Amino acid sequence: GIEFNDDRAEEQFTVYDHPKVLIYRKTDDYNRDRVRAMLTEGIDWEDVAHWLNPRDVPEWKRTHQRQNDLMLTEAQRQVQVQGGTWASLFDRNSLPNRLPTLAWLVLLTLLGLAALPLTIAIFRWLPDRGYILARPVGVLLLAWLSWMLTNLTPLGYTRGTVALALALLASLSLGSLLFRGQRRRLLDLWRTRKGLILISELLFLAFFALFWLTRWGNPDLWHAWKGGEKPMDFAYLNAVIKSTEFPPYDPWFSGGYLNYYYFGQVMVGSLIKLIGIVPAVAYNLAVPAWAAMTAMGAFSVTYNLVPKRPKGTEGESPRSTGPLRPVFFGLVGAVFVILLGNLGQVPTILLNLGEGTPESFQSTIPGLAGLVRAFLGTLEVLFNGRVLPMRLDEWYWNASR
């Protein structure tokens, strides 16, 4: 008899577990003719396409002058086509395409340095002075400036426009150094936070390498039989990169524009467009980059919340716990956010360990029989050379659901 309103809960409850059912009842105020008029007013039903074969679409467009609001005009379509061919956008023999991982890391580092004067000005009161957040701030500002330049000026979304956005970001940062206090903060950061700078860079590279190796082991980002949303995601990313203006063209609906939120793809696409790495490769560099920035964002939050010198109890003098205490808890925060997640892999591993073991043992204690089978399966793996029967796709799909 107890009900919980979970209308705003996450999708695994509201969509998959028990979707909300709405039942409507007509009242005396309902009038069929009034509803029909409300739904049909201003709609040209002659302009609706019914059961068109793809080969008939050009003729239909020619004879139907009106287009609905999701279609590009012919002029807009021509502008989008001017984005260039893939061969002109990406030189497979270029240095970034020969050394993609190194080039990608250099680009992220340069963006972090370009944004650093801004982050130390905004977050100067934090213990890390905002250094750890410089890289994601640089990525965000590069995309936002590129997007705004494309929308508010005659410039198209080209490599030159993205480069101009980077130049504006760097100029803004360099301009802030004209102030003495800002120069002092930058020098003070290097003098007093050299250890933190080194540790945070090593941790960023470690998280990046971990997820880079994961992508290397399973680079197609595709569930073996359930598919998933990555083809849609990758198509949207390619559409953003190829478009000349915003909103991008719709890769799933010929002649239309993208009626979907797409700024996340602009953040990735601006990096790809600037450096020129082939998207099929750059996509698998963006995934570990986002994972590493997420991990270091969690590290920064936790690090900045932990004092180096906590207050002592009444009658005691404060005692120092050393400079590594915030680093330790920062790492704990990063591990909890980016590695442990929702612990969805624990039952996956236990179920696979117990697969194939005798099911004669039964218990009324919930979960005990499964744990016993998992223990027996562990012995088989350790001492009898049994291979754990885990499909690679389970590691990604199960935890996300």
Side-chain angles (χ1 to χ4, degrees), residues 111-133:
L111 281 173
L113 291 174
L116 181 59
L118 300 180
T119 57
I120 63 173
I122 297 171
F123 302 112
R124 59 184 178 273
W125 48 274
L126 292 176
D128 74 349
R129 305 296 190 266
Y131 175 84
I132 302 173
L133 298 176

Side-chain angles (χ1 to χ4, degrees), residues 127-364:
D128 74 349
R129 305 296 190 266
Y131 175 84
I132 302 173
L133 298 176
R135 192 178 276 108
V137 167
V139 171
L140 173 63
L141 290 179
L142 177 75
W144 185 78
L145 287 170
S146 301
W147 188 68
M148 293 301 289
L149 286 171
T150 302
N151 283 321
L152 299 180
T153 73
L155 298 174
Y157 185 55
T158 64
R159 182 167 293 137
T161 301
V162 180
L164 176 59
L166 178 58
L168 289 174
L169 173 60
S171 299
L172 185 62
S173 292
L174 290 174
S176 71
L177 296 179
L178 295 175
F179 298 94
R180 185 184 303 173
Q182 183 72 340
R183 293 197 300 273
R184 187 179 67 251
R185 292 188 196 102
L186 194 59
L187 292 173
D188 182 65
L189 174 69
W190 178 247
R191 282 198 306 264
T192 62
R193 298 292 188 276
K194 279 198 280 286
L196 174 63
I197 291 173
L198 178 62
I199 290 173
S200 64
E201 290 301 313
L202 290 176
L203 285 175
F204 175 84
L205 290 175
F207 282 112
F208 181 90
L210 176 63
F211 284 86
W212 184 94
L213 288 169
T214 305
R215 300 291 352 109
W216 185 47
N218 183 31
D220 63 357
L221 285 167
W222 175 254
H223 191 281
W225 62 87
K226 297 176 184 175
E229 296 181 355
K230 292 304 177 189
M232 180 191 75
D233 190 38
F234 189 50
Y236 283 176
L237 175 63
N238 284 328
V240 166
I241 294 171
K242 185 70 169 55
S243 292
T244 311
E245 59 182 26
F246 297 126
Y249 72 86
D250 191 337
W252 296 107
F253 186 64
S254 179
Y257 64 82
L258 196 58
N259 183 33
Y260 199 72
Y261 46 89
Y262 61 89
F263 187 72
Q265 276 81 8
V266 174
M267 292 178 68
V268 179
S270 297
L271 297 176
I272 298 174
K273 203 151 191 168
L274 180 61
I275 200 168
I277 297 176
V278 175
V281 175
Y283 192 105
N284 279 328
L285 294 172
V287 171
W290 256 240
M293 286 190 289
T294 302
M296 295 313 298
F299 178 94
S300 176
V301 170
T302 319
Y303 175 92
N304 289 316
L305 285 173
V306 177
K308 288 184 180 178
R309 186 186 292 270
K311 294 180 180 180
T313 57
E314 188 175 353
E316 293 182 359
S317 60
R319 58 185 179 84
S320 175
T321 56
L324 291 180
R325 181 173 184 268
V327 172
F328 170 76
F329 281 104
L331 183 59
V332 169
V335 168
F336 265 90
V337 169
I338 203 67
L339 293 180
L340 296 184
N342 56 17
L343 302 180
Q345 307 307 352
V346 175
T348 299
I349 294 172
L350 292 177
L351 286 172
N352 279 273
L353 282 170
E355 190 174 307
T357 58
E359 299 188 8
S360 56
F361 177 81
Q362 300 294 329
S363 174
T364 57

Side-chain angles (χ1 to χ4, degrees), residues 96 98-106 208 212 277 281 285:
R98 292 201 302 270
L99 299 170
T101 300
L102 179 61
W104 188 261
L105 288 172
V106 169
F208 181 90
W212 184 94
I277 297 176
V281 175
L285 294 172

